[in-house]
Every structure is written in C-alpha cells, then in structure tokens.
Amino acid sequence: MKNIILIASFFVTAISVAQRPLPKKGNDFTPQQRAELKVKKMAVALDLSDKQINSIQPLIANQELERQSLRENREEMKNLSNDEKFNRLNTRLDKKLEFKRKMKSILTADQYEKWQKMHKRKRTEGRKKHKRRRNE
C-alpha cells in the first residue's frame, strides 16, 4: 500500500512539473528601443563620439525595422519559390555590404576593426546557442 501511494505521488509530481509553461525568452522591445540599446552598447565598446553616434543611430534603427518586418513575415517566407528566395538573399547581402561600407566611413580604422571582431564573435556565439537549442 505504501509503495502504491509513493508511486502515485511520484507520477502526480512528475505530471505537474511537466505541464508547467516554459518561461518566455527574450524581450518585447520595439525596434526603436532595440536600436537605441545597440547603439549605446557600441558607443561603450568602441568609444564613439557624439557625431558618430548620431550618424550610426539611423542605420541601426533602419536595420531593426527591417528585422521586425522579417519576423512578422516569417510564415510567408516558407512558401517562396527558389527564384524569390534567391532574390531575397541577394538583396539582403547587398544591404549588408552597404551597411558595412557606411560603418567603415563613419568609424575610424581602429574602431572598425574592433567592430568587425565584435560582430564576428557575436555571430559565432549565436550559432553555438542555436545549435545547443536544436539539440535540446
């Protein structure tokens, strides 16, 4: 009898823990708020001047708005043809090149080099996180 009660309490506990909702990851910031935070982090890391901050702010804000629209249209992108996917990828890479050129013109040589290292490190860490999440 004691064993049955013990086993039943174990199953009830296990089921109640398994049914608990997962906490939401990330923040619900607006694109403008995310852009402002990114620019401030860059200003701290790269020691940007006020002029540089003011010229980087619209670039980052535009980038965040585009990312927001991509997040909202994620379902539509699953149904694209190969040509549409190619065009979308091509335009995205063009925008990346343009963004890098603008950043290079705004930042000094040392700041640009440091920014590239930060950007590359962030990408590799993001890939590692993504791989871990998929394996869980």
Side-chain angles (χ1 to χ4, degrees), residues 54-126:
N54 291 336
S55 54
I56 289 175
Q57 180 74 35
L59 295 176
I60 301 291
N62 186 29
Q63 196 177 51
E64 286 298 323
L65 286 171
E66 288 176 5
R67 285 187 180 149
Q68 181 70 27
S69 68
L70 287 175
R71 281 187 200 107
E72 291 170 354
N73 298 329
R74 189 175 293 161
E75 291 299 320
E76 294 174 11
M77 286 196 263
K78 291 180 181 177
N79 301 326
L80 296 177
S81 69
N82 284 336
D83 290 336
E84 291 171 328
K85 287 179 185 178
F86 172 78
N87 290 334
R88 186 175 289 276
L89 181 61
N90 198 17
T91 56
R92 192 179 93 212
L93 291 173
D94 288 341
K95 288 177 185 179
K96 272 187 178 182
L97 285 172
E98 182 182 343
F99 182 77
K100 273 192 159 188
R101 282 191 207 114
K102 288 180 181 179
M103 289 298 287
K104 192 171 188 173
S105 68
I106 294 169
L107 300 175
T108 64
D110 294 336
Q111 288 173 334
Y112 183 73
E113 187 177 318
K114 192 173 181 180
W115 175 73
Q116 281 186 316
K117 287 179 184 177
M118 286 173 24
H119 191 67
K120 189 173 186 176
R121 185 178 338 118
K122 194 173 188 181
R123 282 183 51 213
T124 56
E125 289 173 2

Side-chain angles (χ1 to χ4, degrees), residues 31-43:
Q32 292 82 9
Q33 290 171 329
R34 284 194 305 266
E36 187 175 334
L37 290 174
K38 275 188 177 184
V39 170
K40 286 186 180 184
K41 285 180 184 179
M42 284 177 59

Side-chain angles (χ1 to χ4, degrees), residues 121-133:
R121 185 178 338 118
K122 194 173 188 181
R123 282 183 51 213
T124 56
E125 289 173 2
R127 286 181 181 162
K128 288 178 185 176
K129 282 183 184 178
H130 180 71
K131 194 177 262 187
R132 277 184 295 212
R133 284 185 196 146

